[in-house]
Amino acid sequence: MRNPRAFLRPLAVGAPKPSSDVPFRPSRMIHFFDPSNEKMAAKVPDIAMKVDIILGNLEDAVKTEKKEAARQGLVDIAKATDFGDTQLWTRVNSLDSPWVLDDIVTLVTEIGDKLDVIMVPKVEGPQDIHYVDRLLAQLEARAGLDRQILVHAILETAEGVANVEEIAAASPRMQGISLGPADLAASRRMKTTRVGGGHPGYLVRQDPTGEDLTAGRATYQQDLWHYTISRMVDACAMNDILPFYGPFGDIKDVVACEDQFRNAFLLGCVGAWSLHPVQIDIAKKVFSPSPEDVAHAKRVVEAMGDGSGAVMIDGKMEDDASCKQCLVMLDLAKSLAERDPELAAAYDL
Ligand SMILES: CCC(=O)SCCNC(=O)CCNC(=O)[C@H](O)C(C)(C)COP(=O)(O)OP(=O)(O)OC[C@H]1O[C@@H](n2cnc3c(N)ncnc32)[C@H](O)[C@@H]1OP(=O)(O)O
Ligand SMILES: O=CC(=O)O
Ligand SMILES: [Mg+2]
Protein backbone atom coordinates (compact mmCIF):
# COMPACT_ATOMS: atom_id res chain seq x y z
CA MET A 1 0.00 0.00 0.00
CA ARG A 2 1.20 3.53 -0.81
CA ASN A 3 2.29 5.95 1.90
CA PRO A 4 -0.76 8.29 2.11
CA ARG A 5 1.55 11.34 2.20
CA ALA A 6 2.99 10.27 -1.18
CA PHE A 7 -0.42 9.99 -2.84
CA LEU A 8 -0.22 13.48 -4.32
CA ARG A 9 3.42 13.29 -5.42
CA PRO A 10 4.14 12.98 -9.16
CA LEU A 11 5.07 9.43 -10.20
CA ALA A 12 7.92 10.60 -12.47
CA VAL A 13 10.49 13.34 -12.18
CA GLY A 14 9.19 16.40 -14.02
CA ALA A 15 5.61 15.15 -14.32
CA PRO A 16 2.77 17.53 -13.39
CA LYS A 17 1.62 17.45 -9.77
CA PRO A 18 -1.57 15.45 -9.22
CA SER A 19 -4.59 17.47 -8.20
CA SER A 20 -6.36 16.64 -4.93
CA ASP A 21 -9.81 16.94 -6.48
CA VAL A 22 -11.58 16.33 -9.78
CA PRO A 23 -13.00 19.66 -10.94
CA PHE A 24 -16.66 19.13 -11.90
CA ARG A 25 -17.27 19.91 -15.57
CA PRO A 26 -20.58 19.31 -17.36
CA SER A 27 -20.40 15.67 -18.48
CA ARG A 28 -23.91 14.71 -19.55
CA MET A 29 -22.81 12.72 -22.56
CA ILE A 30 -19.57 11.08 -23.70
CA HIS A 31 -20.04 10.99 -27.46
CA PHE A 32 -18.18 8.09 -29.12
CA PHE A 33 -16.80 8.25 -32.63
CA ASP A 34 -14.49 5.99 -34.62
CA PRO A 35 -11.58 8.14 -35.87
CA SER A 36 -10.90 5.63 -38.68
CA ASN A 37 -14.40 6.17 -40.08
CA GLU A 38 -14.18 9.11 -42.47
CA LYS A 39 -17.90 9.93 -42.36
CA MET A 40 -17.96 10.06 -38.58
CA ALA A 41 -14.67 11.92 -38.34
CA ALA A 42 -15.96 14.61 -40.71
CA LYS A 43 -18.81 15.29 -38.28
CA VAL A 44 -16.57 15.74 -35.24
CA PRO A 45 -16.04 19.55 -35.38
CA ASP A 46 -19.84 20.11 -35.50
CA ILE A 47 -20.71 17.43 -32.95
CA ALA A 48 -18.02 18.68 -30.57
CA MET A 49 -19.92 21.96 -30.27
CA LYS A 50 -23.09 20.11 -29.15
CA VAL A 51 -21.70 17.68 -26.58
CA ASP A 52 -19.97 17.96 -23.22
CA ILE A 53 -17.39 15.27 -24.02
CA ILE A 54 -16.22 13.92 -27.38
CA LEU A 55 -14.35 10.61 -27.31
CA GLY A 56 -12.17 9.09 -30.01
CA ASN A 57 -12.71 5.36 -29.59
CA LEU A 58 -9.82 3.01 -30.37
CA GLU A 59 -11.14 -0.17 -28.68
CA ASP A 60 -14.18 -2.37 -29.39
CA ALA A 61 -16.23 -1.31 -32.45
CA VAL A 62 -13.00 -0.47 -34.34
CA LYS A 63 -11.98 -3.27 -36.70
CA THR A 64 -8.62 -4.93 -36.05
CA GLU A 65 -7.19 -3.78 -39.39
CA LYS A 66 -8.24 -0.19 -38.57
CA LYS A 67 -6.57 0.08 -35.14
CA GLU A 68 -3.55 2.06 -36.39
CA ALA A 69 -5.70 4.22 -38.66
CA ALA A 70 -8.01 5.06 -35.75
CA ARG A 71 -5.08 6.08 -33.54
CA GLN A 72 -3.56 8.28 -36.25
CA GLY A 73 -6.99 9.63 -37.18
CA LEU A 74 -7.50 10.80 -33.61
CA VAL A 75 -4.11 12.53 -33.59
CA ASP A 76 -4.96 14.34 -36.84
CA ILE A 77 -8.45 15.37 -35.70
CA ALA A 78 -7.22 16.60 -32.32
CA LYS A 79 -4.49 18.69 -33.94
CA ALA A 80 -6.87 20.22 -36.48
CA THR A 81 -9.85 20.95 -34.20
CA ASP A 82 -10.53 23.65 -31.65
CA PHE A 83 -12.73 21.89 -29.08
CA GLY A 84 -13.53 25.02 -27.09
CA ASP A 85 -14.93 24.04 -23.68
CA THR A 86 -15.76 20.52 -24.84
CA GLN A 87 -13.61 17.84 -23.24
CA LEU A 88 -11.58 15.57 -25.50
CA TRP A 89 -11.30 11.97 -24.29
CA THR A 90 -10.07 8.76 -25.83
CA ARG A 91 -10.84 5.11 -25.10
CA VAL A 92 -7.60 3.17 -25.61
CA ASN A 93 -7.42 -0.54 -26.26
CA SER A 94 -7.51 -2.89 -23.28
CA LEU A 95 -4.37 -3.47 -21.22
CA ASP A 96 -4.02 -7.07 -22.45
CA SER A 97 -4.04 -6.03 -26.11
CA PRO A 98 -1.07 -5.53 -28.45
CA TRP A 99 -2.17 -1.95 -29.26
CA VAL A 100 -2.54 -0.21 -25.92
CA LEU A 101 1.11 0.70 -25.37
CA ASP A 102 1.36 2.45 -28.73
CA ASP A 103 -2.05 4.06 -28.13
CA ILE A 104 -0.92 5.68 -24.89
CA VAL A 105 2.62 6.58 -26.01
CA THR A 106 1.43 8.12 -29.29
CA LEU A 107 -1.53 10.03 -27.90
CA VAL A 108 0.27 11.54 -24.91
CA THR A 109 3.29 12.46 -27.00
CA GLU A 110 1.36 13.91 -29.94
CA ILE A 111 -1.81 15.40 -28.41
CA GLY A 112 -1.28 15.17 -24.64
CA ASP A 113 -1.87 18.93 -24.31
CA LYS A 114 -5.39 18.49 -25.76
CA LEU A 115 -6.46 15.24 -24.08
CA ASP A 116 -8.46 15.60 -20.88
CA VAL A 117 -9.15 11.98 -19.99
CA ILE A 118 -8.05 8.48 -21.06
CA MET A 119 -10.76 5.85 -20.67
CA VAL A 120 -9.31 2.44 -19.81
CA PRO A 121 -11.46 -0.59 -20.65
CA LYS A 122 -11.84 -3.84 -18.69
CA VAL A 123 -10.14 -2.56 -15.53
CA GLU A 124 -9.97 -5.46 -13.09
CA GLY A 125 -8.32 -3.93 -10.05
CA PRO A 126 -6.14 -1.08 -8.73
CA GLN A 127 -3.04 -2.68 -10.30
CA ASP A 128 -4.37 -1.75 -13.76
CA ILE A 129 -4.75 1.90 -12.73
CA HIS A 130 -1.27 1.91 -11.11
CA TYR A 131 0.27 0.71 -14.38
CA VAL A 132 -1.42 3.44 -16.44
CA ASP A 133 -0.72 6.05 -13.75
CA ARG A 134 3.07 5.53 -13.79
CA LEU A 135 3.23 5.27 -17.56
CA LEU A 136 1.27 8.51 -17.98
CA ALA A 137 3.56 10.32 -15.51
CA GLN A 138 6.64 9.23 -17.48
CA LEU A 139 5.13 10.32 -20.77
CA GLU A 140 3.79 13.61 -19.41
CA ALA A 141 7.27 14.45 -18.07
CA ARG A 142 8.86 13.59 -21.41
CA ALA A 143 6.30 15.66 -23.33
CA GLY A 144 6.70 18.61 -20.94
CA LEU A 145 2.97 18.71 -20.12
CA ASP A 146 1.94 21.10 -17.35
CA ARG A 147 -1.33 19.40 -16.35
CA GLN A 148 -2.25 15.81 -15.64
CA ILE A 149 -4.28 13.68 -18.02
CA LEU A 150 -7.00 12.01 -15.94
CA VAL A 151 -8.07 8.37 -16.06
CA HIS A 152 -11.58 6.90 -16.38
CA ALA A 153 -12.19 3.17 -15.82
CA ILE A 154 -14.87 1.02 -17.44
CA LEU A 155 -16.53 -1.37 -15.01
CA GLU A 156 -17.12 -4.35 -17.26
CA THR A 157 -15.69 -7.47 -15.67
CA ALA A 158 -16.85 -9.48 -12.67
CA GLU A 159 -13.42 -8.92 -11.09
CA GLY A 160 -13.66 -5.18 -11.68
CA VAL A 161 -17.04 -5.04 -9.93
CA ALA A 162 -15.62 -7.01 -6.99
CA ASN A 163 -12.77 -4.45 -6.75
CA VAL A 164 -14.66 -1.28 -7.66
CA GLU A 165 -13.93 0.55 -4.40
CA GLU A 166 -10.15 0.00 -4.77
CA ILE A 167 -10.28 1.01 -8.44
CA ALA A 168 -12.01 4.28 -7.57
CA ALA A 169 -9.39 5.01 -4.89
CA ALA A 170 -6.34 3.83 -6.86
CA SER A 171 -4.96 7.20 -7.94
CA PRO A 172 -5.60 10.93 -7.74
CA ARG A 173 -5.79 10.66 -11.53
CA MET A 174 -9.12 8.81 -11.30
CA GLN A 175 -11.80 11.00 -12.88
CA GLY A 176 -14.70 8.54 -12.92
CA ILE A 177 -16.09 5.13 -13.83
CA SER A 178 -18.59 3.98 -16.50
CA LEU A 179 -20.73 0.88 -16.41
CA GLY A 180 -19.99 -1.34 -19.43
CA PRO A 181 -23.06 -3.61 -19.51
CA ALA A 182 -22.11 -5.56 -22.65
CA ASP A 183 -18.70 -6.84 -21.59
CA LEU A 184 -19.93 -7.19 -18.02
CA ALA A 185 -22.82 -9.41 -19.13
CA ALA A 186 -20.33 -11.61 -21.01
CA SER A 187 -17.87 -11.70 -18.12
CA ARG A 188 -20.61 -12.68 -15.66
CA ARG A 189 -22.10 -15.20 -18.10
CA MET A 190 -25.43 -13.39 -17.92
CA LYS A 191 -27.87 -14.73 -20.52
CA THR A 192 -28.72 -11.48 -22.25
CA THR A 193 -27.41 -10.54 -25.68
CA ARG A 194 -28.53 -6.89 -25.42
CA VAL A 195 -26.21 -3.89 -24.98
CA GLY A 196 -27.60 -2.38 -21.76
CA GLY A 197 -31.26 -1.84 -20.95
CA GLY A 198 -33.72 -4.32 -19.50
CA HIS A 199 -34.86 -7.81 -20.45
CA PRO A 200 -38.48 -9.02 -20.54
CA GLY A 201 -37.49 -12.29 -18.86
CA TYR A 202 -36.11 -10.57 -15.76
CA LEU A 203 -39.30 -9.92 -13.84
CA VAL A 204 -41.36 -10.45 -10.74
CA ARG A 205 -44.94 -11.77 -10.90
CA GLN A 206 -47.94 -11.01 -8.74
CA ASP A 207 -49.04 -13.74 -6.34
CA PRO A 208 -51.80 -16.08 -7.64
CA THR A 209 -55.31 -15.16 -6.62
CA GLY A 210 -56.85 -18.65 -7.04
CA GLU A 211 -56.22 -22.18 -8.26
CA ASP A 212 -55.29 -21.10 -11.79
CA LEU A 213 -51.61 -20.09 -11.60
CA THR A 214 -51.75 -18.49 -15.04
CA ALA A 215 -54.77 -16.19 -14.52
CA GLY A 216 -54.66 -12.45 -13.83
CA ARG A 217 -51.11 -12.20 -12.55
CA ALA A 218 -49.37 -9.01 -13.65
CA THR A 219 -45.62 -9.11 -14.20
CA TYR A 220 -43.19 -6.26 -13.67
CA GLN A 221 -39.92 -6.06 -15.57
CA GLN A 222 -36.95 -5.46 -13.26
CA ASP A 223 -33.69 -3.58 -13.72
CA LEU A 224 -30.72 -5.86 -14.48
CA TRP A 225 -28.21 -3.09 -13.70
CA HIS A 226 -29.51 -1.67 -10.44
CA TYR A 227 -27.02 -3.41 -8.17
CA THR A 228 -23.96 -2.61 -10.25
CA ILE A 229 -24.86 1.03 -10.90
CA SER A 230 -25.61 1.57 -7.20
CA ARG A 231 -22.33 -0.02 -6.15
CA MET A 232 -20.41 2.01 -8.72
CA VAL A 233 -22.11 5.24 -7.59
CA ASP A 234 -21.15 4.57 -3.96
CA ALA A 235 -17.53 3.78 -4.89
CA CYS A 236 -17.34 7.00 -6.91
CA ALA A 237 -19.07 9.18 -4.31
CA MET A 238 -16.81 7.99 -1.50
CA ASN A 239 -13.80 8.96 -3.62
CA ASP A 240 -15.18 12.23 -5.06
CA ILE A 241 -15.10 10.98 -8.64
CA LEU A 242 -17.89 10.79 -11.25
CA PRO A 243 -20.10 7.79 -12.17
CA PHE A 244 -21.54 7.29 -15.70
CA TYR A 245 -23.91 4.85 -17.36
CA GLY A 246 -22.28 3.41 -20.52
CA PRO A 247 -23.78 2.26 -23.85
CA PHE A 248 -27.40 1.68 -24.83
CA GLY A 249 -27.20 -0.39 -28.00
CA ASP A 250 -30.79 -0.26 -29.28
CA ILE A 251 -30.27 3.00 -31.18
CA LYS A 252 -33.81 2.97 -32.64
CA ASP A 253 -35.48 2.58 -29.23
CA VAL A 254 -35.10 6.17 -28.10
CA VAL A 255 -37.81 5.68 -25.46
CA ALA A 256 -36.08 2.84 -23.58
CA CYS A 257 -32.75 4.67 -23.97
CA GLU A 258 -34.23 7.66 -22.19
CA ASP A 259 -35.56 5.37 -19.42
CA GLN A 260 -32.18 3.70 -18.94
CA PHE A 261 -30.38 7.06 -18.83
CA ARG A 262 -32.96 8.45 -16.35
CA ASN A 263 -32.58 5.47 -14.01
CA ALA A 264 -28.84 6.16 -13.97
CA PHE A 265 -29.39 9.91 -13.41
CA LEU A 266 -31.75 9.26 -10.49
CA LEU A 267 -29.28 6.84 -8.92
CA GLY A 268 -26.47 9.43 -9.05
CA CYS A 269 -24.75 9.17 -12.45
CA VAL A 270 -23.70 12.44 -14.10
CA GLY A 271 -23.91 11.26 -17.72
CA ALA A 272 -24.01 8.38 -20.22
CA TRP A 273 -22.38 7.41 -23.51
CA SER A 274 -23.93 8.48 -26.81
CA LEU A 275 -23.12 6.04 -29.60
CA HIS A 276 -25.14 7.73 -32.31
CA PRO A 277 -26.07 11.40 -32.86
CA VAL A 278 -29.69 10.59 -31.91
CA GLN A 279 -28.62 9.78 -28.34
CA ILE A 280 -26.98 13.18 -27.72
CA ASP A 281 -30.21 15.09 -27.09
CA ILE A 282 -31.60 12.25 -24.98
CA ALA A 283 -28.61 12.51 -22.65
CA LYS A 284 -28.79 16.31 -22.62
CA LYS A 285 -32.46 16.18 -21.62
CA VAL A 286 -32.11 13.48 -18.99
CA PHE A 287 -28.91 14.60 -17.28
CA SER A 288 -29.99 18.25 -16.98
CA PRO A 289 -32.32 18.65 -13.98
CA SER A 290 -35.81 19.81 -14.94
CA PRO A 291 -36.60 23.52 -14.37
CA GLU A 292 -39.38 22.38 -11.98
CA ASP A 293 -36.93 20.42 -9.81
CA VAL A 294 -34.51 23.34 -9.82
CA ALA A 295 -37.27 25.82 -8.83
CA HIS A 296 -38.36 23.49 -6.01
CA ALA A 297 -34.74 23.10 -4.80
CA LYS A 298 -34.35 26.87 -4.79
CA ARG A 299 -37.51 27.33 -2.70
CA VAL A 300 -36.37 24.75 -0.15
CA VAL A 301 -32.87 26.21 0.18
CA GLU A 302 -34.25 29.73 0.58
CA ALA A 303 -36.81 28.60 3.17
CA MET A 304 -34.20 26.66 5.13
CA GLY A 305 -31.99 29.70 5.79
CA ASP A 306 -28.77 28.35 7.39
CA GLY A 307 -29.82 24.81 6.36
CA SER A 308 -30.88 23.61 9.84
CA GLY A 309 -34.30 22.95 11.37
CA ALA A 310 -37.51 21.87 9.62
CA VAL A 311 -40.11 23.66 7.49
CA MET A 312 -43.29 22.70 5.62
CA ILE A 313 -43.42 23.38 1.87
CA ASP A 314 -46.52 22.29 -0.10
CA GLY A 315 -47.48 19.91 2.68
CA LYS A 316 -44.07 18.23 2.80
CA MET A 317 -41.49 18.29 5.57
CA GLU A 318 -38.08 19.65 4.57
CA ASP A 319 -35.05 19.54 6.87
CA ASP A 320 -31.24 19.53 6.86
CA ALA A 321 -31.06 16.34 4.80
CA SER A 322 -33.59 17.30 2.13
CA CYS A 323 -31.92 20.73 1.98
CA LYS A 324 -28.63 18.92 1.13
CA GLN A 325 -30.47 16.99 -1.63
CA CYS A 326 -31.69 20.31 -3.00
CA LEU A 327 -28.16 21.74 -2.90
CA VAL A 328 -26.95 18.81 -5.04
CA MET A 329 -29.62 19.71 -7.60
CA LEU A 330 -28.77 23.43 -7.49
CA ASP A 331 -25.00 22.89 -7.78
CA LEU A 332 -25.53 20.77 -10.88
CA ALA A 333 -27.98 23.27 -12.36
CA LYS A 334 -25.54 26.15 -11.80
CA SER A 335 -22.63 24.39 -13.45
CA LEU A 336 -24.76 23.36 -16.44
CA ALA A 337 -26.20 26.87 -16.76
CA GLU A 338 -22.68 28.28 -17.08
CA ARG A 339 -22.19 26.17 -20.20
CA ASP A 340 -25.69 26.26 -21.67
CA PRO A 341 -27.49 29.62 -22.16
CA GLU A 342 -30.87 27.89 -22.76
CA LEU A 343 -30.64 26.16 -19.40
CA ALA A 344 -29.47 29.37 -17.75
CA ALA A 345 -32.67 31.06 -18.94
CA ALA A 346 -34.87 28.09 -17.95
CA TYR A 347 -33.36 27.82 -14.45
CA ASP A 348 -33.34 31.56 -13.72
CA LEU A 349 -30.70 31.14 -10.99
C1 LIG B 1 -21.15 -2.25 -26.56
C2 LIG B 1 -19.85 -1.98 -26.05
C3 LIG B 1 -19.18 -0.73 -26.48
O1 LIG B 1 -18.00 -0.68 -26.41
S1 LIG B 1 -20.13 0.58 -27.02
C4 LIG B 1 -18.94 1.72 -27.63
C5 LIG B 1 -18.37 1.34 -28.94
N1 LIG B 1 -19.29 1.52 -30.03
C6 LIG B 1 -19.32 2.65 -30.72
O2 LIG B 1 -18.54 3.55 -30.49
C7 LIG B 1 -20.35 2.75 -31.80
C8 LIG B 1 -20.40 4.13 -32.39
N2 LIG B 1 -21.48 4.24 -33.33
C9 LIG B 1 -21.47 3.65 -34.53
O3 LIG B 1 -20.54 2.95 -34.90
C10 LIG B 1 -22.66 3.92 -35.41
O4 LIG B 1 -23.46 4.91 -34.86
C11 LIG B 1 -23.56 2.67 -35.69
C12 LIG B 1 -24.17 2.17 -34.40
C13 LIG B 1 -22.75 1.54 -36.34
C14 LIG B 1 -24.68 3.12 -36.62
O5 LIG B 1 -24.07 3.73 -37.73
P1 LIG B 1 -24.86 3.98 -39.10
O6 LIG B 1 -25.47 2.70 -39.55
O7 LIG B 1 -23.95 4.70 -40.04
O8 LIG B 1 -26.04 4.93 -38.59
P2 LIG B 1 -26.86 5.99 -39.41
O9 LIG B 1 -26.98 5.58 -40.84
O10 LIG B 1 -28.13 6.22 -38.67
O11 LIG B 1 -25.95 7.29 -39.30
C15 LIG B 1 -26.39 8.54 -39.79
C16 LIG B 1 -25.17 9.41 -40.01
O12 LIG B 1 -24.57 9.67 -38.73
C17 LIG B 1 -23.21 9.24 -38.75
N3 LIG B 1 -22.90 8.67 -37.42
C18 LIG B 1 -23.35 7.53 -36.90
N4 LIG B 1 -22.87 7.36 -35.67
C19 LIG B 1 -22.08 8.43 -35.42
C20 LIG B 1 -21.29 8.82 -34.31
N5 LIG B 1 -21.20 8.05 -33.22
N6 LIG B 1 -20.64 10.00 -34.37
C21 LIG B 1 -20.69 10.75 -35.47
N7 LIG B 1 -21.42 10.44 -36.58
C22 LIG B 1 -22.11 9.28 -36.55
C23 LIG B 1 -23.11 8.21 -39.85
O13 LIG B 1 -21.80 8.12 -40.35
C24 LIG B 1 -24.09 8.75 -40.85
O14 LIG B 1 -23.43 9.76 -41.59
P3 LIG B 1 -23.93 10.19 -43.09
O15 LIG B 1 -25.29 10.78 -42.92
O16 LIG B 1 -23.95 8.91 -43.90
O17 LIG B 1 -22.90 11.17 -43.56
O1 LIG C 1 -17.68 -1.07 -23.30
C1 LIG C 1 -18.81 -1.15 -22.94
C2 LIG C 1 -19.51 -2.35 -22.72
O2 LIG C 1 -20.71 -2.29 -22.41
O3 LIG C 1 -18.87 -3.41 -22.86
MG1 LIG D 1 -16.77 -3.04 -23.36
Side-chain angles (χ1 to χ4, degrees):
M1 201 171 109
R2 259 178 103 189
N3 163 6
R5 277 181 292 275
F7 196 64
L8 289 174
R9 285 185 207 143
L11 287 176
V13 176
K17 192 173 169 348
S19 166
S20 60
D21 47 31
V22 178
F24 181 81
R25 296 173 70 183
S27 304
R28 293 165 293 182
M29 72 299 288
I30 306 172
H31 183 74
F32 274 59
F33 74 97
D34 172 355
S36 74
N37 178 320
E38 281 171 17
K39 274 190 182 173
M40 276 195 210
K43 294 187 166 49
V44 165
D46 279 348
I47 288 187
M49 296 304 110
K50 297 186 196 135
V51 298
D52 294 334
I53 299 165
I54 184 114
L55 178 146
N57 176 35
L58 308 184
E59 199 224 11
D60 294 354
V62 175
K63 286 188 92 52
T64 303
E65 62 271 22
K66 294 278 195 77
K67 292 289 184 186
E68 269 93 16
R71 186 192 300 139
Q72 188 55 45
L74 179 56
V75 169
D76 296 342
I77 291 164
K79 285 187 173 169
T81 310
D82 176 1
F83 294 97
D85 288 337
T86 301
Q87 300 177 53
L88 174 66
W89 292 22
T90 183
R91 177 170 82 168
V92 293
N93 284 287
S94 59
L95 297 179
D96 60 357
S97 78
W99 304 289
V100 63
L101 186 59
D102 286 338
D103 290 345
I104 298 178
V105 171
T106 305
L107 296 177
V108 179
T109 307
E110 297 278 338
I111 55 166
D113 55 333
K114 288 206 153 179
L115 264 187
D116 291 292
V117 175
I118 294 184
M119 181 183 272
V120 183
K122 303 176 178 71
V123 172
E124 302 211 305
Q127 68 282 1
D128 290 340
I129 302 298
H130 295 158
Y131 168 77
V132 174
D133 199 6
R134 179 77 76 174
L135 179 60
L136 285 178
Q138 294 163 348
L139 293 168
E140 287 166 343
R142 197 176 70 172
L145 299 183
D146 55 14
R147 62 157 178 86
Q148 273 211 318
I149 297 167
L150 300 180
V151 168
H152 182 104
I154 313 181
L155 196 59
E156 53 181 349
T157 65
E159 196 172 335
V161 176
N163 293 323
V164 66
E165 292 82 11
E166 290 102 295
I167 292 169
S171 160
R173 247 185 231 283
M174 282 300 296
Q175 178 274 348
I177 302 181
S178 285
L179 172 74
D183 271 302
L184 182 57
S187 166
R188 283 177 170 162
R189 299 180 204 283
M190 291 167 69
K191 305 302 181 294
T192 165
T193 54
R194 300 172 175 208
V195 173
H199 193 290
Y202 192 68
L203 51 79
V204 291
R205 186 182 302 268
Q206 256 183 356
D207 283 356
T209 47
E211 294 294 305
D212 183 356
L213 296 182
T214 62
R217 299 174 68 183
T219 59
Y220 304 93
Q221 202 170 314
Q222 305 292 296
D223 181 0
L224 286 171
W225 307 109
H226 180 83
Y227 155 75
T228 318
I229 294 180
S230 303
R231 187 153 174 208
M232 175 183 75
V233 167
D234 284 343
C236 288
M238 73 188 256
N239 287 286
D240 288 332
I241 66 172
L242 306 176
F244 293 72
Y245 175 76
F248 187 85
D250 193 343
I251 307 287
K252 292 266 177 300
D253 192 350
V254 291
V255 175
C257 176
E258 182 171 331
D259 293 337
Q260 175 69 78
F261 284 6
R262 185 164 293 102
N263 288 350
F265 175 65
L266 289 170
L267 283 175
C269 291
V270 298
W273 300 3
S274 58
L275 303 184
H276 185 281
V278 78
Q279 294 183 335
I280 294 172
D281 283 338
I282 303 174
K284 192 174 275 189
K285 174 178 167 196
V286 169
F287 290 99
S288 309
S290 71
E292 294 73 33
D293 278 348
V294 175
H296 171 75
K298 212 160 100 180
R299 273 180 79 201
V300 172
V301 169
E302 279 164 10
M304 282 293 294
D306 73 352
S308 66
V311 294
M312 277 284 263
I313 295 182
D314 298 337
K316 295 194 179 75
M317 188 280 304
E318 307 287 348
D319 70 0
D320 312 47
S322 63
C323 185
K324 283 181 200 148
Q325 291 174 267
C326 291
L327 286 169
V328 168
M329 196 73 84
L330 282 181
D331 281 353
L332 176 59
K334 280 180 191 152
S335 67
L336 296 179
E338 276 170 24
R339 178 167 169 79
D340 187 330
E342 262 179 48
L343 282 181
Y347 292 157
D348 189 25
L349 291 168

